[in-house]
Amino acid sequence: MQFEDIGQTTPARTLVVEDSDWEQLSRTDAMRLTTLFLAARRFEEKILMLDKLNLVHGPAHSSIGQEGGAAGCIAALPIDTLMNGTHRAHHQCVAKAVNALYEDGMDPVASGLSLRMRQEIQGLMHEILGLKDGWTGGRGGSMHLRRADLGIMGTNAIVAGGIPIACGHAFAEKQRQSGKLMVTFFGDGAVHQGATHEAMNLAALYGLPMIFFLENNKYAVSMSVEQSTFQTELLTRPQGHGIAAVKVDGMNPFAVWLATRWAQEYIEREGRPAFILAEVYRYYHQSSSIPGSAFGYRTRDEENAWKARDPWLFLQRELTGRGILNADELAAIDAAVTDAMDAAAASCVEGAGSSARIRPELWPEASSVDANLNSDMREFDGVQFAEAEDYAAEDMETLSYIEAMARTMGARMAEDERIYVFGEDVANMGGGTVGATRGLTETYAGRLINTPITENGFCGLATGAALSGLKPVVELMYSDFFLVAGDQLLNQAGKIRHLFNGSASVPLVLRTRIPGAEGYGSQHSMDPAGVFALFPGWRIVAPSNAFDYVGLMNSALRCEDPVLVIEPQELHKRKTLVPKKLDYYIPIGRAKRVQEGDQITLLATLSMVERCVQVAAEMGVRADIIDLRTLSQRDIDYDTIGASVMKTGRVAIVEQTTRGASLGALIADEIQRRYFDYLDQPVQRVTGRWAPPTVSQALERAALASEDDIRTRLAAMLQESGLTAQPGNVHALRA
């Protein structure tokens, strides 16, 4: 038996600093590097002091000891570089903010920090303390930090949660040919997350201009690298994805500076991402000023050995010993930085010692808690809203639902170069797996992006691309797959606007297919509306016909919020009259009455709209049938619903989905709160059964709601109310 080497050629190396390398570091570079390092160190010390006074609400993850990695990296990069990070990011954000404002010719020895630098340091400190003058009004606190005009695109409390988003920022910059780099910072704990590997795969696949920067501080809370993985050589991870990587001593800020210069040159030369692993050490426990040895997961000897290698001691020794800066110059920079930190703390605290407290006038108003959950919709100013009855017959043509999907996307892509479509197979097979991109693959080949089967990764990439100004459209082959991408879609995209107090928007469109009674089983058949409705940052539209699809998709593509578009496969071939010009909009938040009646109100969604029309006609029930169209909780059209309930006194909510996934319970609760006095009987619901549909045709039919379920519920409501039906005496407003 014989084995042959597979010929892995992706480099994974350790950087060794030579004496001659110091010639690359000018006095100006040394001042910048020192300033960034000390800004991070003194800021962290001040935060720990405030934490000891119990003035920091929530965690404050200290990075004291590991600032050399962030300072060395950021000091080597252009000031317009973009970055994001994870929950331990104070040092990165301070260094990035100072570097973004570090003008050519600046001399911190002579002039200290600029006024703008001091203001941004104050804003960051206010943010960590949860105050209204913080970077995002105090909503982000310590773990969620964003200052986009300084290139800080948002840090993330979910380990590895920001790494796919970083790919999106890099993707957007590559498409714009801006030349900007993206750096994503993360720790050794993130290496084991699937999101990290999905992101590295996408970055390598698409040739994204980004640096993956791993701060290996040896512990994820108390779990050592050795306890977390069998393969402790972490450079094998990027190597496995074809990303060139270098390991460097992160306690040596100059070595990190050199490694980052290599990474920047490599990205510019090769058009591929790079990976830096900086070996660093955090002196304190996860989120406190207590050393880790106090909790028993490491020894004092270990901590003391790393403290002897402190980056500040290193800089003082090497910079003075090599004649680059002298002790007085280092002391002057330290004094200027320390003064800025003292002033920042003084701006938000009054009193001293145990009597210290946050200045009460700095807290945000409690009444602002719900502000900036969604866009204020001003992006729709001046658009043409229309319904089918607004058009003359000669202006209409017959289109199927699936034809409307492709044509609408093509029309909007022709107008808006920001639109990119992401998904599995979207650029293959002449129009994707169901034909939703038919006719687009040649004209927009560079904007239809085939993705690997990595939903969490490409949904995160789309989120980052949206944050950077693109208009991503994500196609999930089946709705259930959103669960694989739950963090990126629900925890990230759905919360970002509110979390960052309106300073960020995620104009992302998510298209999801529900197969209905097609035998795909319980892992491919979920109606996602009930889950997405729990996250108020999401808008949800549910078009039941081709006309509505065009108008609602146009609105989704214009909206500055993430929008879920639900596309039932059962409707794909159903044809409807649609205007020849696909330039109209249907407002998000407006329902449609499809049949007039005065006996019972039926609130229907998706494929159940036509079923309600048919069953009401067969039974002779004078039903007021309303197509809800918008299903996000804050957007449901209760004005239209209320007018109908006041007329009929009876209402049923009709959904095809299973009982547990139904949105109807939330709608029923709201109706009874708003219109209780007008109801003659409790709000009724028509749904499928508790069990999800399985592949068995008989069980699938039993699991999903059908015409028989509508018929049974209507009959019971009529009987309870003493009403009679008149078959053949009902006419729909829309066929």
Side-chain angles (χ1 to χ4, degrees), residues 569-639:
Q569 187 170 324
E570 181 181 348
L571 300 179
H572 281 189
K573 295 181 180 179
R574 186 169 296 173
K575 296 189 174 182
T576 311
L577 287 173
V578 174
K580 296 174 184 176
K581 292 185 178 180
L582 305 179
D583 58 356
Y584 62 95
Y585 297 80
I586 292 174
I588 294 174
R590 183 181 297 171
K592 171 76 171 180
R593 178 177 283 102
V594 299
Q595 179 173 294
E596 291 275 8
D598 59 7
Q599 290 183 314
I600 293 173
T601 297
L602 295 179
L603 307 179
T605 65
L606 301 166
S607 60
M608 301 306 278
V609 175
E610 293 301 326
R611 285 190 171 95
C612 284
V613 171
Q614 293 166 8
V615 171
E618 291 168 7
M619 294 180 65
V621 178
R622 298 195 304 276
D624 214 40
I625 301 176
I626 296 172
D627 183 348
L628 290 175
R629 299 199 299 195
T630 302
L631 303 180
S632 28
Q633 285 194 66
R634 299 173 76 228
D635 296 320
I636 290 173
D637 186 356
Y638 286 107
D639 290 340

Coordinates of all heavy atoms in Angstrom, one line a residue, residues 569-639:
Q569 N -44.8 27.6 -3.3 CA -44.6 26.9 -4.5 C -45.9 26.5 -5.2 O -46.1 26.5 -6.4 CB -43.8 25.6 -4.3 CG -43.4 24.9 -5.6 CD -42.4 23.8 -5.3 OE1 -41.5 23.9 -4.5 NE2 -42.5 22.7 -6.1
E570 N -47.0 26.3 -4.4 CA -48.3 26.0 -4.9 C -48.8 27.1 -5.8 O -49.6 26.9 -6.7 CB -49.3 25.8 -3.7 CG -50.7 25.5 -4.1 CD -51.5 25.3 -2.9 OE1 -51.0 25.2 -1.8 OE2 -52.8 25.2 -3.0
L571 N -48.4 28.4 -5.6 CA -48.8 29.5 -6.4 C -48.0 29.8 -7.7 O -48.4 30.6 -8.5 CB -48.9 30.8 -5.5 CG -49.7 30.7 -4.3 CD1 -49.6 32.0 -3.5 CD2 -51.2 30.4 -4.7
H572 N -46.9 29.1 -7.8 CA -45.9 29.5 -8.9 C -46.5 29.5 -10.3 O -46.2 30.3 -11.1 CB -44.7 28.5 -8.8 CG -43.7 28.8 -7.8 ND1 -42.5 28.2 -7.7 CD2 -43.8 29.7 -6.7 CE1 -41.8 28.7 -6.7 NE2 -42.6 29.6 -6.1
K573 N -47.4 28.5 -10.6 CA -48.0 28.5 -11.9 C -49.3 29.2 -12.0 O -49.9 29.3 -13.1 CB -48.2 27.0 -12.3 CG -46.8 26.2 -12.4 CD -47.1 24.8 -12.8 CE -45.7 24.0 -13.0 NZ -46.0 22.6 -13.4
R574 N -49.8 29.7 -10.9 CA -51.1 30.4 -11.0 C -50.9 31.8 -11.7 O -50.0 32.6 -11.4 CB -51.6 30.6 -9.6 CG -53.1 31.2 -9.5 CD -53.6 31.1 -8.1 NE -53.8 29.7 -7.7 CZ -54.2 29.3 -6.5 NH1 -54.4 30.3 -5.6 NH2 -54.3 28.1 -6.2
K575 N -51.8 32.1 -12.6 CA -51.7 33.3 -13.4 C -52.7 34.4 -13.0 O -53.8 34.1 -12.5 CB -51.9 33.0 -14.9 CG -50.9 32.0 -15.5 CD -51.0 31.8 -17.0 CE -49.8 31.0 -17.5 NZ -49.9 30.9 -18.9
T576 N -52.2 35.6 -13.1 CA -53.0 36.8 -12.7 C -52.7 37.9 -13.7 O -51.6 38.0 -14.3 CB -52.6 37.2 -11.3 OG1 -52.5 36.1 -10.4 CG2 -53.5 38.3 -10.7
L577 N -53.6 38.8 -13.8 CA -53.4 40.0 -14.6 C -52.4 40.9 -13.9 O -52.6 41.2 -12.7 CB -54.7 40.7 -14.9 CG -55.7 40.1 -15.9 CD1 -57.0 40.8 -16.0 CD2 -55.0 40.1 -17.3
V578 N -51.4 41.4 -14.6 CA -50.4 42.2 -14.0 C -50.1 43.3 -15.0 O -50.1 43.1 -16.2 CB -49.1 41.4 -13.8 CG1 -47.9 42.3 -13.3 CG2 -49.3 40.3 -12.8
P579 N -49.8 44.6 -14.5 CA -49.5 45.6 -15.4 C -48.3 45.3 -16.3 O -47.3 44.7 -15.8 CB -49.3 46.8 -14.5 CG -50.0 46.5 -13.2 CD -50.0 45.0 -13.1
K580 N -48.3 45.8 -17.5 CA -47.1 45.6 -18.3 C -45.9 46.3 -17.8 O -44.8 45.9 -18.0 CB -47.5 46.0 -19.8 CG -48.6 45.2 -20.4 CD -49.0 45.8 -21.7 CE -50.2 45.0 -22.3 NZ -50.7 45.6 -23.6
K581 N -46.1 47.4 -17.2 CA -45.0 48.2 -16.5 C -45.0 47.7 -15.1 O -45.9 48.0 -14.3 CB -45.2 49.7 -16.6 CG -45.1 50.2 -18.1 CD -45.1 51.7 -18.1 CE -44.9 52.2 -19.5 NZ -45.0 53.7 -19.5
L582 N -43.8 47.1 -14.7 CA -43.7 46.6 -13.3 C -43.1 47.6 -12.4 O -42.2 47.3 -11.6 CB -42.9 45.3 -13.4 CG -43.4 44.2 -14.3 CD1 -42.4 43.0 -14.3 CD2 -44.8 43.8 -14.0
D583 N -43.7 48.8 -12.4 CA -43.0 49.9 -11.6 C -43.9 50.4 -10.5 O -43.7 51.5 -9.9 CB -42.7 51.0 -12.5 CG -43.9 51.6 -13.3 OD1 -45.0 51.0 -13.1 OD2 -43.7 52.6 -14.0
Y584 N -44.9 49.6 -10.1 CA -45.8 50.0 -9.0 C -45.4 49.4 -7.7 O -44.7 48.4 -7.6 CB -47.2 49.7 -9.3 CG -47.5 48.2 -9.5 CD1 -48.0 47.5 -8.4 CD2 -47.2 47.6 -10.7 CE1 -48.2 46.1 -8.5 CE2 -47.5 46.2 -10.8 CZ -47.9 45.5 -9.8 OH -48.1 44.1 -9.9
Y585 N -45.9 49.9 -6.6 CA -45.6 49.5 -5.2 C -46.9 49.2 -4.5 O -47.9 49.8 -4.7 CB -44.8 50.5 -4.4 CG -43.5 50.8 -5.0 CD1 -43.3 51.7 -6.1 CD2 -42.3 50.2 -4.5 CE1 -42.1 52.0 -6.6 CE2 -41.1 50.5 -5.0 CZ -41.0 51.4 -6.1 OH -39.7 51.7 -6.6
I586 N -46.9 48.2 -3.6 CA -48.0 48.0 -2.7 C -47.4 48.3 -1.3 O -46.3 47.8 -0.9 CB -48.5 46.5 -2.7 CG1 -49.2 46.3 -4.0 CG2 -49.4 46.2 -1.5 CD1 -49.6 44.8 -4.3
P587 N -48.0 49.1 -0.5 CA -47.5 49.5 0.8 C -47.3 48.3 1.7 O -48.2 47.5 1.8 CB -48.5 50.5 1.3 CG -49.3 50.9 0.2 CD -49.3 49.8 -0.8
I588 N -46.1 48.3 2.4 CA -46.0 47.4 3.5 C -46.9 47.8 4.6 O -46.8 49.0 5.0 CB -44.5 47.3 3.9 CG1 -43.6 46.7 2.8 CG2 -44.4 46.5 5.2 CD1 -42.1 46.8 3.1
G589 N -47.8 46.9 5.0 CA -48.7 47.3 6.1 C -50.1 47.6 5.6 O -51.0 48.0 6.4
R590 N -50.4 47.3 4.3 CA -51.8 47.5 3.8 C -52.4 46.1 3.4 O -51.8 45.5 2.4 CB -51.9 48.5 2.7 CG -53.3 48.7 2.2 CD -53.3 49.7 1.0 NE -52.8 51.0 1.4 CZ -52.6 52.0 0.6 NH1 -52.8 51.8 -0.7 NH2 -52.1 53.2 1.0
A591 N -53.5 45.7 4.0 CA -54.2 44.5 3.6 C -55.0 44.8 2.4 O -55.2 45.9 2.0 CB -55.0 43.9 4.7
K592 N -55.6 43.7 1.8 CA -56.5 43.9 0.6 C -57.8 43.1 0.8 O -57.8 41.9 1.1 CB -55.7 43.3 -0.6 CG -56.6 43.2 -1.9 CD -56.8 44.5 -2.5 CE -57.4 44.4 -3.9 NZ -57.6 45.7 -4.6
R593 N -58.9 43.8 0.7 CA -60.2 43.1 0.8 C -60.5 42.5 -0.6 O -60.5 43.2 -1.6 CB -61.3 44.1 1.1 CG -62.7 43.4 1.1 CD -63.8 44.3 1.6 NE -63.8 44.5 3.0 CZ -63.3 45.6 3.7 NH1 -62.8 46.6 2.9 NH2 -63.4 45.7 5.0
V594 N -60.6 41.2 -0.7 CA -60.8 40.5 -2.0 C -62.2 40.1 -2.2 O -62.6 39.7 -3.3 CB -59.9 39.3 -2.1 CG1 -58.4 39.7 -2.0 CG2 -60.2 38.2 -1.0
Q595 N -63.0 40.2 -1.1 CA -64.5 39.9 -1.3 C -65.2 40.6 -0.2 O -64.8 40.6 1.0 CB -64.7 38.4 -1.2 CG -66.2 38.0 -1.3 CD -66.4 36.5 -1.3 OE1 -66.0 35.8 -2.3 NE2 -67.0 35.9 -0.3
E596 N -66.4 41.2 -0.6 CA -67.2 41.9 0.4 C -68.2 41.0 1.0 O -68.7 40.1 0.3 CB -68.0 43.0 -0.4 CG -67.1 44.2 -0.8 CD -66.9 45.2 0.2 OE1 -67.3 45.0 1.4 OE2 -66.3 46.3 -0.1
G597 N -68.5 41.2 2.2 CA -69.5 40.4 2.9 C -69.8 41.0 4.3 O -69.1 41.8 4.8
D598 N -71.0 40.5 4.8 CA -71.4 41.1 6.1 C -71.7 40.0 7.2 O -72.1 40.4 8.3 CB -72.6 41.9 5.9 CG -73.8 41.2 5.4 OD1 -73.7 39.9 5.2 OD2 -74.8 41.8 5.0
Q599 N -71.4 38.8 6.9 CA -71.6 37.7 7.9 C -70.4 37.3 8.7 O -70.5 37.3 9.9 CB -72.2 36.5 7.2 CG -73.6 36.6 6.6 CD -74.1 35.3 6.0 OE1 -73.4 34.7 5.3 NE2 -75.3 35.0 6.3
I600 N -69.3 37.1 8.1 CA -68.1 36.6 8.7 C -66.9 37.3 8.1 O -66.8 37.4 6.8 CB -67.9 35.1 8.6 CG1 -69.1 34.4 9.4 CG2 -66.6 34.6 9.1 CD1 -69.1 32.9 9.3
T601 N -65.9 37.6 8.9 CA -64.6 38.1 8.3 C -63.6 37.0 8.3 O -63.4 36.3 9.3 CB -64.0 39.2 9.2 OG1 -64.9 40.4 9.2 CG2 -62.7 39.7 8.8
L602 N -63.0 36.8 7.1 CA -62.0 35.8 7.0 C -60.6 36.5 6.7 O -60.5 37.2 5.7 CB -62.3 34.8 5.9 CG -63.5 33.9 6.1 CD1 -63.7 33.0 4.8 CD2 -63.4 33.1 7.3
L603 N -59.7 36.3 7.6 CA -58.3 36.9 7.4 C -57.4 35.8 6.9 O -57.1 34.8 7.6 CB -57.8 37.4 8.7 CG -58.7 38.4 9.4 CD1 -58.0 38.9 10.7 CD2 -59.0 39.6 8.5
A604 N -57.0 35.9 5.6 CA -56.3 34.8 5.0 C -54.9 35.2 4.6 O -54.6 36.4 4.4 CB -57.1 34.3 3.8
T605 N -54.1 34.2 4.4 CA -52.7 34.4 3.9 C -52.4 33.4 2.8 O -52.9 32.3 2.7 CB -51.7 34.2 5.1 OG1 -51.7 32.8 5.5 CG2 -52.0 35.1 6.2
L606 N -51.6 33.9 1.9 CA -50.9 33.1 0.8 C -51.9 32.2 0.1 O -52.9 32.8 -0.4 CB -49.8 32.2 1.5 CG -48.7 33.1 2.2 CD1 -47.8 32.2 3.0 CD2 -47.9 33.8 1.1
S607 N -51.7 30.9 0.0 CA -52.6 30.1 -0.8 C -54.0 29.9 -0.2 O -54.9 29.4 -0.9 CB -51.9 28.7 -1.0 OG -51.7 28.1 0.3
M608 N -54.2 30.3 1.0 CA -55.5 30.2 1.6 C -56.5 31.3 1.2 O -57.7 31.2 1.4 CB -55.4 30.1 3.1 CG -54.5 29.0 3.7 SD -55.0 27.3 3.0 CE -56.3 27.0 4.2
V609 N -55.9 32.3 0.5 CA -56.8 33.4 0.1 C -57.8 32.9 -0.9 O -59.1 33.0 -0.8 CB -56.0 34.6 -0.5 CG1 -57.0 35.6 -1.0 CG2 -55.1 35.2 0.6
E610 N -57.3 32.2 -2.0 CA -58.2 31.7 -3.0 C -59.1 30.6 -2.5 O -60.3 30.4 -2.9 CB -57.4 31.2 -4.2 CG -56.7 32.4 -5.0 CD -57.7 33.4 -5.5 OE1 -58.8 33.0 -5.9 OE2 -57.3 34.6 -5.5
R611 N -58.6 29.8 -1.6 CA -59.4 28.7 -1.0 C -60.6 29.3 -0.2 O -61.7 28.8 -0.2 CB -58.5 27.9 -0.1 CG -57.6 26.9 -0.8 CD -57.0 25.9 0.2 NE -56.3 24.9 -0.5 CZ -55.0 24.9 -0.8 NH1 -54.2 26.0 -0.4 NH2 -54.4 23.9 -1.4
C612 N -60.3 30.4 0.5 CA -61.4 31.1 1.2 C -62.5 31.6 0.3 O -63.7 31.4 0.5 CB -60.9 32.2 2.1 SG -60.1 31.7 3.6
V613 N -62.1 32.2 -0.8 CA -63.0 32.7 -1.8 C -63.8 31.5 -2.4 O -65.1 31.6 -2.5 CB -62.2 33.4 -3.0 CG1 -63.2 33.8 -4.1 CG2 -61.6 34.7 -2.4
Q614 N -63.2 30.4 -2.7 CA -63.9 29.3 -3.3 C -64.9 28.7 -2.3 O -66.1 28.4 -2.7 CB -62.9 28.3 -3.8 CG -62.0 28.7 -4.9 CD -60.8 27.8 -5.2 OE1 -60.7 26.8 -4.5 NE2 -59.9 28.3 -6.0
V615 N -64.4 28.5 -1.1 CA -65.3 27.8 -0.1 C -66.5 28.7 0.2 O -67.6 28.2 0.4 CB -64.5 27.4 1.1 CG1 -65.5 26.9 2.2 CG2 -63.5 26.3 0.8
A616 N -66.2 30.0 0.4 CA -67.3 30.9 0.7 C -68.4 30.9 -0.4 O -69.6 30.9 -0.1 CB -66.8 32.3 1.0
A617 N -67.9 30.9 -1.6 CA -68.8 30.9 -2.8 C -69.6 29.6 -2.8 O -70.9 29.6 -3.0 CB -68.0 31.0 -4.1
E618 N -69.0 28.5 -2.6 CA -69.7 27.2 -2.6 C -70.7 27.1 -1.5 O -71.8 26.6 -1.7 CB -68.7 26.0 -2.4 CG -67.7 25.8 -3.5 CD -66.6 24.9 -3.2 OE1 -66.6 24.3 -2.0 OE2 -65.6 24.7 -4.0
M619 N -70.4 27.6 -0.3 CA -71.3 27.5 0.8 C -72.4 28.6 0.8 O -73.3 28.6 1.6 CB -70.5 27.6 2.1 CG -69.6 26.4 2.4 SD -68.7 26.5 3.9 CE -70.0 26.4 5.1
G620 N -72.1 29.7 0.0 CA -73.0 30.8 0.1 C -72.9 31.7 1.3 O -73.8 32.4 1.7
V621 N -71.7 31.7 1.9 CA -71.4 32.6 3.0 C -71.0 33.9 2.6 O -70.2 34.1 1.7 CB -70.3 32.0 3.9 CG1 -70.0 32.9 5.1 CG2 -70.7 30.6 4.4
R622 N -71.7 35.0 3.1 CA -71.3 36.3 2.8 C -70.1 36.8 3.6 O -70.2 37.4 4.6 CB -72.5 37.3 3.0 CG -73.7 36.9 2.1 CD -74.8 38.1 2.1 NE -75.2 38.5 3.5 CZ -76.1 37.9 4.2 NH1 -76.8 36.8 3.7 NH2 -76.5 38.3 5.4
A623 N -69.0 36.3 3.2 CA -67.7 36.5 3.9 C -67.0 37.8 3.4 O -66.9 38.0 2.2 CB -66.8 35.3 3.8
D624 N -66.5 38.5 4.4 CA -65.6 39.6 4.1 C -64.2 39.0 4.1 O -63.7 38.7 5.2 CB -65.8 40.7 5.1 CG -65.6 42.1 4.6 OD1 -66.1 42.4 3.5 OD2 -65.0 43.0 5.3
I625 N -63.6 38.8 3.0 CA -62.4 38.1 2.9 C -61.2 39.1 2.7 O -61.2 39.9 1.7 CB -62.4 37.1 1.8 CG1 -63.5 36.1 2.0 CG2 -61.0 36.4 1.7 CD1 -63.7 35.1 0.9
I626 N -60.3 39.1 3.6 CA -59.2 40.0 3.6 C -57.8 39.2 3.4 O -57.6 38.3 4.2 CB -59.1 40.9 4.9 CG1 -60.4 41.7 5.0 CG2 -57.9 41.7 5.0 CD1 -60.6 42.4 6.3
D627 N -57.1 39.6 2.4 CA -55.7 39.1 2.2 C -54.8 39.9 3.1 O -54.6 41.1 2.8 CB -55.4 39.1 0.7 CG -54.0 38.6 0.4 OD1 -53.3 38.3 1.3 OD2 -53.7 38.4 -0.8
L628 N -54.2 39.4 4.1 CA -53.4 40.2 5.0 C -52.2 40.8 4.3 O -51.8 41.9 4.6 CB -53.0 39.4 6.2 CG -54.1 39.0 7.2 CD1 -53.6 38.0 8.3 CD2 -54.7 40.2 7.8
R629 N -51.5 40.1 3.5 CA -50.4 40.5 2.7 C -49.1 40.8 3.5 O -48.0 40.5 3.1 CB -50.7 41.7 1.8 CG -51.8 41.3 0.8 CD -51.9 42.3 -0.4 NE -52.1 43.7 -0.1 CZ -52.5 44.6 -0.9 NH1 -52.6 44.3 -2.2 NH2 -52.7 45.9 -0.6
T630 N -49.3 41.6 4.6 CA -48.1 41.9 5.4 C -48.3 41.2 6.8 O -49.4 41.4 7.4 CB -48.0 43.4 5.7 OG1 -47.9 44.1 4.4 CG2 -46.8 43.8 6.5
L631 N -47.3 40.5 7.2 CA -47.5 39.7 8.4 C -46.6 40.1 9.6 O -46.7 39.5 10.7 CB -47.2 38.2 8.1 CG -48.1 37.7 7.0 CD1 -47.8 36.2 6.7 CD2 -49.6 37.8 7.3
S632 N -45.7 41.0 9.4 CA -44.9 41.5 10.6 C -45.8 42.2 11.6 O -46.7 42.9 11.2 CB -43.8 42.5 10.1 OG -44.2 43.2 8.9
Q633 N -45.7 41.9 12.9 CA -46.7 42.2 13.9 C -47.0 43.7 13.9 O -48.2 44.1 14.0 CB -46.2 41.8 15.3 CG -46.3 40.3 15.5 CD -46.1 40.0 17.0 OE1 -46.9 40.4 17.8 NE2 -45.0 39.3 17.3
R634 N -46.0 44.5 13.8 CA -46.3 46.0 13.9 C -46.8 46.6 12.6 O -47.2 47.7 12.5 CB -45.0 46.7 14.3 CG -44.4 46.3 15.6 CD -43.1 46.9 15.9 NE -43.2 48.2 16.3 CZ -42.4 49.2 15.8 NH1 -41.5 48.9 14.9 NH2 -42.5 50.5 16.2
D635 N -46.8 45.7 11.5 CA -47.3 46.2 10.2 C -48.7 45.7 9.9 O -49.2 46.0 8.8 CB -46.3 45.8 9.1 CG -45.0 46.5 9.3 OD1 -44.9 47.7 9.7 OD2 -44.0 45.8 9.1
I636 N -49.3 44.8 10.6 CA -50.5 44.2 10.3 C -51.6 45.3 10.2 O -51.7 46.2 11.1 CB -50.9 43.1 11.2 CG1 -50.0 41.9 11.0 CG2 -52.4 42.6 11.1 CD1 -50.1 40.8 12.0
D637 N -52.4 45.2 9.2 CA -53.4 46.3 8.9 C -54.6 46.2 9.7 O -55.7 45.7 9.3 CB -53.7 46.3 7.4 CG -54.6 47.4 7.0 OD1 -55.0 48.2 7.8 OD2 -54.9 47.5 5.7
Y638 N -54.5 46.6 11.0 CA -55.7 46.5 11.9 C -56.8 47.5 11.6 O -57.9 47.3 12.0 CB -55.2 46.6 13.4 CG -54.5 45.4 13.8 CD1 -53.1 45.4 14.0 CD2 -55.2 44.2 14.1 CE1 -52.4 44.2 14.4 CE2 -54.5 43.0 14.5 CZ -53.1 43.0 14.6 OH -52.5 41.9 15.0
D639 N -56.5 48.5 10.9 CA -57.6 49.4 10.4 C -58.5 48.7 9.5 O -59.8 48.8 9.7 CB -57.0 50.6 9.7 CG -56.2 51.6 10.7 OD1 -56.5 51.5 11.9 OD2 -55.4 52.4 10.2

